[in-house]
């Protein structure tokens, strides 16, 4: 019998495999966003090629693509480094981030379902536990889920996608502020104001609380970076 076609049994064709360059780009981007590669870190092509077991060609192309996305800065005749924006650029990035997140929080207050609100509360309580444990790495991971739940709660896919893309750009700087003394507790208290506004359906209050939160995040990172 001839082999059945995938369509005949309702199967979707398999997604094309990632290229070596794409895999490298994603791995390096993950290390930048997670903080494993901090802003200002040089990206040596030869070292990266040896570490990932590839030639320098896909590494060079991956760095070029990361440069296009803004995560890497390529300096003529000096090589590439993890992007380290100027204070003015960082201010602009956080200003946009604050408005996007404020819009998300406001729409979440209006549109979140009851199960989504319960899920947000559960994440908020998980963060409370991590504050007491004093675990910045796990707090950061759960914090990412907390904000993602708010984006999803907008029920606006385009806004959620745009906010996630912008968040990825500022993620290395947001993560760093959790290393500052007392910052975990401060972040949790700011979240509490956001959560309470969302739970009572206060669209304006949720937006304002989130906007203030991102402003504090920006200032906390600036203080942390200035003290290093």
């Amino acid at each position: 019998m001839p082999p059945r076609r995938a369509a005949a049994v309702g199967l979707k064709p398999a997604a094309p495999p990632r290229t070596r360059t794409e895999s490298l780009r994603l791995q390096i981007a993950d290390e930048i966003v997670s903080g494993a590669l901090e802003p200002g870190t040089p990206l040596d092509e030869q070292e990266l090629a040896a570490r990932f077991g590839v030639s320098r060609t896909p590494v060079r192309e991956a760095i070029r693509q990361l440069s296009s996305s803004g995560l890497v800065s390529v300096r003529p005749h000096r090589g590439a480094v993890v992007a380290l924006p100027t204070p003015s650029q960082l201010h602009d990035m956080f200003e946009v981030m604050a408005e996007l997140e404020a819009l998300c929080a406001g729409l979440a207050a209006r549109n979140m379902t009851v199960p989504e609100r319960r899920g947000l509360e559960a994440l908020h309580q998980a963060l409370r536990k991590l504050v007491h444990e004093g675990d910045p790495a796990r707090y950061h991971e759960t914090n990412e889920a907390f904000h993602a739940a708010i984006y999803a709660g907008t029920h606006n896919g385009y806004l959620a996608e745009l906010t996630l893309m912008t968040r990825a750009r500022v993620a290395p700087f947001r993560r760093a502020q959790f290393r500052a003394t007392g910052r975990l507790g401060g972040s949790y208290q700011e979240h509490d104001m956001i959560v309470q506004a969302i739970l009572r359906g206060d669209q304006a209050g949720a937006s304002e609380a989130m906007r203030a939160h991102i402003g504090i995040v920006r200032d906390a990172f600036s203080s942390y970076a200035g003290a290093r």
Side-chain angles (χ1 to χ4, degrees), residues 47 62 82 127 139 174 182 211 216:
E47 187 275 329
V82 176
L127 286 168
Y139 188 95
R174 293 181 72 148
R211 185 179 292 109
I216 293 170

Side-chain angles (χ1 to χ4, degrees), residues 55-174:
S55 70
R56 293 177 64 174
T57 300
V59 171
R60 188 176 300 117
E61 178 59 21
I63 288 174
R64 187 192 68 78
Q65 292 179 14
L66 288 167
S67 173
S68 298
S69 71
L71 286 176
V72 167
S73 296
V74 178
R75 307 164 299 178
H77 311 298
R78 296 174 60 194
V81 298
V82 176
L84 184 61
T86 65
S88 176
Q89 290 171 328
L90 198 59
H91 176 274
D92 290 349
M93 289 158 56
F94 271 108
E95 186 172 53
V96 172
M97 187 81 256
E99 294 306 314
L100 288 172
E101 294 239 20
L103 181 56
C104 284
L107 289 178
R110 188 186 73 186
N111 297 334
M112 263 187 163
T113 64
V114 171
E116 286 173 333
R117 291 169 196 265
R118 289 174 180 162
L120 184 66
E121 283 187 283
L123 287 166
H124 186 46
Q125 290 308 310
L127 286 168
R128 181 174 181 270
K129 181 181 178 182
L130 293 170
V131 171
H132 290 297
E133 293 176 359
D135 190 336
R138 288 181 59 205
Y139 188 95
H140 170 74
E141 293 171 3
T142 308
N143 181 63
E144 292 286 301
F146 174 87
H147 282 269
I150 293 174
Y151 307 161
T154 67
H155 294 203
N156 184 313
Y158 180 73
L159 175 61
E161 180 182 0
L162 185 62
T163 308
L164 280 167
M165 181 175 64
T166 306
R167 185 179 181 85
R169 182 66 183 85
V170 300
F173 314 104
R174 293 181 72 148

